[in-house]
């Protein structure tokens, strides 16, 4: 083994170290290495920049240091850099491994302290190993990969006793309940299932894959009344969409992503996923696989799509948290840095713009951060949204190889995080391999080389083939044909591994040759791993030994339905009043600077929101390009001015009072954001993503879930804004030595909508001094769970309530006014209320405002900072005053004042400088 | 005969589609070709070779390095050198610029290092064109705005001033201040060209500003032009680079006209 170190002269003094130099290291092994090294000595350009960097072979760059820290990936962890080294050096059978070296001067005196510092800032020991040496000591080269022989597949007789069943489920990380284990035992009868069969059932029946909680029967009790809900999903989610009379729905809840009709040429496709559990353990790898993983959902919808945009929403504990951290919990700052970097690398490298998102902080997310990643796409109308598979079609796996990384992801995420977590569930994505794969598949689609496609995500081949088998009526996998990253995987591991960057195709045998030729030309691996049939079975063999023979019926519907109990003890709203604020100006500045409101510019700038050239309304708008847009507008088709908008809404604080009202408020906010930029409220679709603390055995959390679904259902029906896709993550708890940390029940509502003409899109910045400023929508008391109430630890007050008829009329009216180009600026009132919305419009336009409010019975705090729904702020050219006021007619609106040329914010004669507001709004998050 | 541009794609290149759109608007023919299919065609049929932005090979060994190595390899490397020697145009944007630097087609001793901020930056910047530069792509340009989006765009080295055709500017002129100079480049350099002015690389993205509605402030521009009764332009400032490239390449197709000039 040889070692090449690439370094430059740059140094930094960070983390309290006097001096720190970094270098890249490649460990190389191969039969013709001497030639490679000789060429590198002559010309280092393959690995180094000749202007800025030098290389050393088999020696350290220097022996002058206090500590040398080397960080390298553990065996079997995806090493993208090493793969590129192998491609670039083009030497036969070359095996490369990458590492980083940190040369430290003026660091801690003790080795342990240096190791601790390195572990905290430069490595995650779950996936990387760290060595610390002093001058004169030797670094050990990476250990060789231990290839364990494949153990023979066992049959696992299922114990008669419940305790035995529970123990077996636990020891094999199956996450199956005793009831489910019993159902399996009864199904198999005399025969003992093989471990392959048991693993297949565990994956398929996991909460992650089957969403059992949303299908269970729930008895809901409130005030002595009892309600029996036959499945939350059929009753509320699918039920609400079915009640929407929208002729533009194309495919809902059936495929990997939701599909709506958009233009003559294209449908719009959208999916949002979470990757919470992996991100808690390894924030970078978890978030990276989250984003590239959700990319594969639209890519596997219909016959495939072209990816158009990404969205991301994160929930963390406070970034400045100074309390104790339980074992295995990363500090929120570290989680944030890793997650941000993961989504940055995944989105930017894939060439997909990140156009919309959110960031929310609450202490309840300390034990488990939430990482929502969404992807939108264009589906060609001509290629259609339907797939079909015929018996005899080949099962083809395309893309990356299978390794031990990502084994038990689906069952793991279906459990709470504890102090111990299995290493196999952590994985690191590879955007480059996926991009090659998806581009190749795009070409194959146009050539008609496959009949069906789906993503290999949670549950691996077991889930993708298991689901596709339903289309033909059966499937058989030959597990020994699956290409592996390294030998030594047991058949069950091959079946359930969630190794990334893979898609599964159904390929007609007569097309296989052409597909193989194309894939080879594009450097993408494709392999026939079995065939579809009509046997009614999902079966698998390993070198002619049959290891799995499951009926599709049992696999997909055999799991027992549970009866869950929900009990609602009432919502905590009341009429207590928030004590008056001393000076509204201080309150406004405090809110603008608060973590859940302040500018996200530093974060947004690290995501490419321009690539593909579709951007119309960007995440940041206005004179200084720092105004927060309500929604993104894209022009997806370069040949047309038709546009689309994308938005999101999330605020788990509202759920503290009532999850039912929270869901209604969030639907309203997602729609309102779309309307604010000019989208058509009658051509808008929604996605729901639930992240819940485990409701099983907890009647209160179950009741919150029922109520959340009911609120969602009511709002969807009322607005006729259908849900087209969704996902749930139901085990967001951390179990530590000091007890359980549960997240606040959280719902993310994402929206997409048509925008008939992008030239009529509207941004939120004030445009011109003299413009008239209006509040549209009714005032009401809504300080309950508001950002102000949270900051004052005030637990009283009420949540806002929806008047659906009036809100719908208002949104339609605004849309007509925007179509007529009567609105110069429009901004949503949400967190922080009216005063914050107005301040943001001033900041974005670098213009002032003079405004007032007519008399009312509501407190001033409520009127300035309350978060009543269905309200927006407008600015208009005074010449349009009559047109706008008469169009609004009987709808509630208030003329607030005028935009000022000078940089001041004046309310009822009291003034604050715009600069002060801008300064506050920059915040102190240090994103 | 129309000018023909060959636009590379594949292996992590992201922006071929937008580049193609720019050439369409500039009335040129174009072909988007996967790197692995290049051997199937002849560079003789094209006047412009385009390396679009992206993350070729994931930028893992330093941006552009792995792609540059593939393009230097025989016989493609020789074909590209012949292309340059014939006075044809080579244009790299962002990752394409980084690749041209790694290929050694731009002034020696210059390179692109990680941004001074240590971060990827996606923001619009103001640029000023250097009127004395031989660069054919920036001919006639003065001041304009374009987006940058890169993590490694800090130019290091000491390029001759005339080979820096574009500089990052603030109100007062070329600047080293963040964020107007988004990466800390020497000489506030946003671009480089070779002495012929026909090999050109830049960090900002002209292909991301082909239409006025791509500008971050377009809604204000539109609102104000409407109020003052003037027309809101449809085009973006980035299109000028395409027009200039096509005009310069056109001269190669019409040698008599070139001689007359």
């Amino acid at each position: 083994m040889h070692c090449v170190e690439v370094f430059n002269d740059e140094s930094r003094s960070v983390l309290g170290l006097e001096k720190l130099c970094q270098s890249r290291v490649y460990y190389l092994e191969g039969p013709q290495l001497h030639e490679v090294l000789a060429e590198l000595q002559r010309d280092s350009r393959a690995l180094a920049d000749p202007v800025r960097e030098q290389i050393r072979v088999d020696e350290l760059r220097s022996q002058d240091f206090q500590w040398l820290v080397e960080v390298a990936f553990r065996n079997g962890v995806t090493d993208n850099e090493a793969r590129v080294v192998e491609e670039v050096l083009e030497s036969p059978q070359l095996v490369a491994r990458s590492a980083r070296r940190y040369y430290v001067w003026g660091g801690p005196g003790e080795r342990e302290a240096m190791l601790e510092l390195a572990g905290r800032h430069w490595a995650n020991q779950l996936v990387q190993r760290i060595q610390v040496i002093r001058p004169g000591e030797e670094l050990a080269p990476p250990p060789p990969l231990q290839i364990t022989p494949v153990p023979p597949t066992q049959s696992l007789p299922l114990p008669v006793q419940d305790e035995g069943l529970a123990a077996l489920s636990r020891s094999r990380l199956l996450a199956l309940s005793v009831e489910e284990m019993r159902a399996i035992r009864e199904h198999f009868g005399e025969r003992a299932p093989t471990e392959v069969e048991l693993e297949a059932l565990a994956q398929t029946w996991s909460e992650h894959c089957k969403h059992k909680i949303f299908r269970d029967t729930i008895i809901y009790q409130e005030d002595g009344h009892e309600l029996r809900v036959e499945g939350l999903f059929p009753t509320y989610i699918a039920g609400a969409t079915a009640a929407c009379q929208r002729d533009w729905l194309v495919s809902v809840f059936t495929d990997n992503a939701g599909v709506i009709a958009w233009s003559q040429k294209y449908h719009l496709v959208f999916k949002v996923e979470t990757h919470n559990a992996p991100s808690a353990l390894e924030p970078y790898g978890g978030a990276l696989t989250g984003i590239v993983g959700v990319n594969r959902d639209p890519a596997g919808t219909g016959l495939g799509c072209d990816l158009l945009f990404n969205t991301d929403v994160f929930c963390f504990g406070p970034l400045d948290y100074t309390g104790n951290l339980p074992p295995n919990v990363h500090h929120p700052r570290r989680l944030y840095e890793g997650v941000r970097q993961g989504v940055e690398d995944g989105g930017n490298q894939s060439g997909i713009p990140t156009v919309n998102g959110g960031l929310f902080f609450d202490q309840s997310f300390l034990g488990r951060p939430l990482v929502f990643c969404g992807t939108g796409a264009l589906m060609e109308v001509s290629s259609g949204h339907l797939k079909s598979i015929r018996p005899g079609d080949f099962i083809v796996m395309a893309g990356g190889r299978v390794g031990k990384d990502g084994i038990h992801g689906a069952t793991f995420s279906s459990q709470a995080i504890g102090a111990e977590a299995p290493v196999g569930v952590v994985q690191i994505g590879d955007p480059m391999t996926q991009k090659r794969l998806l581009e190749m598949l795009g070409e194959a689609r146009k050539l008609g080389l496959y009949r069906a496609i789906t993503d290999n995500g949670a549950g691996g081949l077991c889930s993708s083939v298991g689901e596709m088998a339903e289309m033909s009526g059966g499937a058989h996998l030959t597990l020994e044909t699956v290409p592996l990253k390294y030998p030594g995987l047991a058949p069950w591991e091959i079946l359930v591994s969630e190794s990334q960057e893979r898609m599964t195709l159904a390929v007609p045998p007569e097309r296989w040759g052409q597909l193989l030729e194309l894939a080879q030309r594009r450097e993408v691996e494709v392999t026939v791993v079995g065939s579809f049939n009509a046997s009614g079975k999902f079966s698998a063999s390993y070198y002619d030994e049959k290891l799995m023979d499951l009926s599709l019926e049992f696999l997909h519907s055999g799991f027992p339905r549970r009866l869950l109990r929900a009990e609602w003890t009432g919502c905590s709203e009341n009429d207590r009043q928030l004590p008056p604020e001393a000076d509204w100006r201080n309150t406004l500045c405090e809110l603008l600077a608060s973590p859940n409101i302040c500018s996200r510019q530093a974060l947004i700038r690290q995501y490419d929101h321009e690539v593909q050239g579709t951007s119309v309304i960007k995440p940041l708008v206005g004179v200084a390009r720092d105004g927060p847009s309500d929604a993104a507008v894209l022009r997806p088709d370069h040949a047309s001015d038709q546009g689309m908008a994308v938005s999101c809404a999330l605020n788990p604080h509202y759920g503290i009072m009532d999850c039912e009202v929270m869901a209604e408020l969030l639907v309203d906010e997602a729609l309102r954001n779309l309307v604010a930029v000019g989208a058509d409220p009658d051509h808008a679709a929604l996605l729901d993503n639930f992240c819940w603390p485990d409701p099983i055995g907890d009647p209160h959390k179950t009741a919150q879930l029922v109520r959340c679904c009911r609120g969602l259902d009511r709002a969807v029906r009322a607005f006729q804004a259908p849900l087209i896709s969704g996902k749930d993550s139901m085990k967001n708890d951390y179990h530590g030595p000091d007890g359980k940390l549960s997240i606040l029940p959280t719902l993310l509502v994402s929206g997409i909508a048509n925008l008939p003409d992008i030239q009529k899109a509207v941004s939120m910045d004030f445009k011109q001094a003299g413009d008239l400023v209006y509040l549209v929508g009714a005032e009401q008391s809504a300080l309950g769970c508001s950002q102000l109430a949270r900051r004052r630890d005030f637990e009283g007050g009420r949540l806002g309530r929806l008047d659906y008829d009036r809100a719908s009329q208002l949104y339609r009216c605004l849309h007509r006014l925007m179509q007529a180009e009567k609105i110069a600026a429009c901004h949503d009132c949400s967190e922080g209320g009216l005063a914050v919305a107005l301040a943001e419009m001033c900041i974005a336009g670098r213009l002032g405002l003079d405004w007032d409010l007519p008399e009312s019975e509501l407190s001033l705090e409520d009127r300035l900072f309350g978060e009543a729904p269905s309200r927006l702020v407008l600015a208009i050219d005074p010449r349009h005053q009559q047109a706008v006021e008469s169009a609004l007619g009987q709808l509630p609106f208030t003329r607030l004042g005028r935009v000022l040329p000078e940089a001041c914010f004046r309310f009822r004669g009291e003034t604050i400088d715009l600069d002060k507001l801008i300064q506050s709004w920059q915040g102190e998050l240090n994103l | 005969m129309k000018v023909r541009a060959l636009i590379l794609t594949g292996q992590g290149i992201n922006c071929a589609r937008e580049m193609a759109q720019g050439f369409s608007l500039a009335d040129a023919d174009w072909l988007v070709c996967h790197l692995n299919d290049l051997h199937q065609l002849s560079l003789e049929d094209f006047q412009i070779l385009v390396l679009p932005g992206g993350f070729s090979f994931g930028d893992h060994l330093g941006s552009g390095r792995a792609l540059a190595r593939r393009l230097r390899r025989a016989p493609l490397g020789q074909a590209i050198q012949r292309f340059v020697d014939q006075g044809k145009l080579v244009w790299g944007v962002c990752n394409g610029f980084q690749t041209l630097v790694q290929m050694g087609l731009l002034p020696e001793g210059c390179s692109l290092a990680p941004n001074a901020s240590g971060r990827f930056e996606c923001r619009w910047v103001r640029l000023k064109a250097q009127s004395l530069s031989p660069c054919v792509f920036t001919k006639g340009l003065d001041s304009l705005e374009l987006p940058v989006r890169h993590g490694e765009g800090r130019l290091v080295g000491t390029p001759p001033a005339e080979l820096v055709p574009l500089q990052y500017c603030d109100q007062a002129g070329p600047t080293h201040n963040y964020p107007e100079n988004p990466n800390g480049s020497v000489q506030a350099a946003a671009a480089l060209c070779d002495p012929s002015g026909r090999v050109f690389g830049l960090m900002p993205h002209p292909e991301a500003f082909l239409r006025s509605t791509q500008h971050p402030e377009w809604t204000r521009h539109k609102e104000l032009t409407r109020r003052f009764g003037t027309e809101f332009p449809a085009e973006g400032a980035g299109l000028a680079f395409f027009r200039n490239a096509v005009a310069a390449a056109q001269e190669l197709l019409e040698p008599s006209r070139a001689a007359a000039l």
Side-chain angles (χ1 to χ4, degrees), chain A residues 156-216:
Chain A
L156 297 171
L158 296 179
V160 180
Q161 300 295 327
D162 285 354
E163 294 77 35
L165 291 173
L168 180 62
S169 171
R170 210 167 34 242
S171 68
R172 292 203 58 119
L173 284 173
L174 299 176
L176 289 168
S177 69
V178 168
E179 291 77 12
E180 288 163 338
M181 293 291 279
R182 277 199 223 117
I184 294 170
R185 191 179 57 203
E186 274 162 37
H187 175 77
F188 278 87
E190 294 295 298
R191 177 163 87 81
T194 67
E195 56 184 339
V196 177
E197 288 169 323
L198 210 48
E199 289 283 349
L201 286 165
Q203 297 302 316
T204 311
W205 289 8
S206 68
E207 186 56 50
H208 191 97
C209 292
K210 273 285 178 243
H211 310 286
K212 291 175 287 194
I213 292 171
F214 274 75
R215 293 174 190 279
D216 289 330

Side-chain angles (χ1 to χ4, degrees), chain B residues 84-237:
Chain B
V84 172
D85 293 342
Q86 288 168 342
K88 292 181 171 178
L89 278 63
V90 180
W91 183 12
V93 179
C94 197
N95 193 244
F97 179 20
Q98 294 159 337
T99 307
L100 291 181
V101 168
Q102 297 296 330
M103 288 171 75
L105 290 176
L106 287 169
E108 231 175 275
C110 292
S111 189
L112 292 160
N115 294 348
S117 68
R119 293 175 163 210
F120 183 95
E121 298 272 347
C122 177
R123 62 171 72 245
W124 282 63
V125 292
R126 178 157 291 285
L127 299 162
K128 191 155 169 45
Q130 151 80 265
S131 55
L132 296 175
S133 170
C135 182
V136 299
F137 292 83
T138 55
K139 210 169 145 183
L141 292 182
D142 180 24
S143 171
L144 75 156
E145 286 181 285
L146 291 177
V148 291
R149 22 183 234 250
H150 59 251
E152 296 183 27
R154 175 168 55 97
L155 194 89
V156 294
T158 47
E162 71 277 12
L163 301 188
V164 176
L166 285 173
Q167 290 175 294
Y168 299 112
C169 289
D170 58 19
Q171 306 280 335
T175 181
H176 289 95
N177 295 337
Y178 178 84
E180 288 80 7
N181 178 335
N183 48 38
S185 281
V186 293
Q187 298 178 32
L192 279 181
C193 66
D194 75 341
S196 78
R198 292 170 169 271
V199 178
F200 173 57
L202 79 169
M203 288 314 298
H205 289 265
E207 82 286 3
F209 192 23
L210 300 174
R211 295 170 48 91
S212 56
T213 53
Q214 289 169 315
H215 190 278
E217 272 181 86
W218 76 269
T219 49
R220 165 191 308 272
H221 298 156
K222 181 194 127 182
E223 186 67 27
L224 298 186
T225 49
R226 260 166 39 96
R227 291 191 199 189
F228 295 111
T230 51
E231 201 182 332
F232 178 56
E235 267 184 22

Side-chain angles (χ1 to χ4, degrees), chain A residues 850-916:
Chain A
D850 185 6
W851 69 292
D852 198 352
L853 280 166
E855 290 308 309
S856 144
E857 297 194 339
L858 292 177
S859 72
L860 188 63
E861 286 71 25
D862 219 335
R863 303 184 79 195
L864 295 184
F865 308 113
E867 299 177 5
S870 313
R871 296 180 307 155
L872 300 111
V873 177
L874 308 179
I876 63 164
D877 183 339
R879 283 177 294 186
H880 300 320
Q881 178 176 359
Q882 212 201 336
V884 170
E885 290 185 4
S886 69
L888 286 166
Q890 297 305 306
L891 290 165
F893 69 90
T894 311
R895 199 182 324 139
L896 298 175
R898 273 182 191 272
V899 177
L900 296 178
E902 59 269 27
C904 69
F905 188 87
R906 187 180 303 141
F907 173 64
R908 293 188 171 161
E910 293 179 338
T911 298
I912 180 168
D913 282 349
L914 183 59
D915 280 345
K916 186 85 195 342

Side-chain angles (χ1 to χ4, degrees), chain A residues 49 90 522-523 763 927, chain B residues 11 37 73 111 119 214 219:
Chain A
D49 180 342
E90 295 179 290
R522 296 291 173 253
E523 298 170 63
S763 61
L927 292 175
Chain B
Q11 309 291 14
D37 293 344
R73 202 161 65 168
S111 189
R119 293 175 163 210
Q214 289 169 315
T219 49

Side-chain angles (χ1 to χ4, degrees), chain A residues 94-206:
Chain A
L94 175 76
V95 177
R97 304 218 233 166
S98 77
R100 287 283 179 276
R101 284 184 188 154
Y102 300 84
Y103 291 83
V104 173
W105 290 264
E110 297 298 314
R111 191 185 300 261
E112 274 308 303
M114 188 63 239
L115 191 64
E116 202 272 333
L117 184 124
R120 196 148 22 93
H121 295 282
W122 301 330
N124 182 345
Q125 301 200 49
L126 216 49
V127 290
Q128 289 163 316
R129 57 185 183 82
I130 307 179
Q131 294 185 72
V132 176
I133 61 165
R134 285 201 168 96
E137 295 174 347
E138 292 279 320
L139 281 168
L145 194 58
Q146 296 287 337
I147 306 295
T148 46
V150 177
T153 294
Q154 311 169 15
S155 284
L156 297 171
L158 296 179
V160 180
Q161 300 295 327
D162 285 354
E163 294 77 35
L165 291 173
L168 180 62
S169 171
R170 210 167 34 242
S171 68
R172 292 203 58 119
L173 284 173
L174 299 176
L176 289 168
S177 69
V178 168
E179 291 77 12
E180 288 163 338
M181 293 291 279
R182 277 199 223 117
I184 294 170
R185 191 179 57 203
E186 274 162 37
H187 175 77
F188 278 87
E190 294 295 298
R191 177 163 87 81
T194 67
E195 56 184 339
V196 177
E197 288 169 323
L198 210 48
E199 289 283 349
L201 286 165
Q203 297 302 316
T204 311
W205 289 8
S206 68

Side-chain angles (χ1 to χ4, degrees), chain A residues 248-252 257-263 266-270 377 379 381 644 683-686 722-724 752-754:
Chain A
W248 39 261
L249 290 173
V250 175
S251 169
V252 293
V259 187
I260 63 169
W262 178 64
S263 72
Y266 296 108
H267 296 321
L268 288 178
V269 181
F270 195 15
M379 176 188 284
V381 174
M644 56 89 47
H683 195 162
L686 305 174
L723 296 162
I724 57 169
I752 45 169
N754 178 43

Side-chain angles (χ1 to χ4, degrees), chain A residues 663-684:
Chain A
E664 298 184 75
L665 294 173
L666 296 180
V667 167
D668 179 61
E669 185 180 341
L671 272 180
R672 192 164 76 234
N673 283 329
L674 294 170
V675 168
V677 294
D680 181 356
D682 285 310
H683 195 162

Side-chain angles (χ1 to χ4, degrees), chain A residues 681 808-818 884 887-889 891:
Chain A
S808 300
Q809 284 175 42
L810 181 65
Y811 296 163
R812 288 192 184 114
C813 176
L814 272 183
H815 184 60
R816 283 193 299 272
L817 284 169
M818 288 178 179
V884 170
L888 286 166
L891 290 165

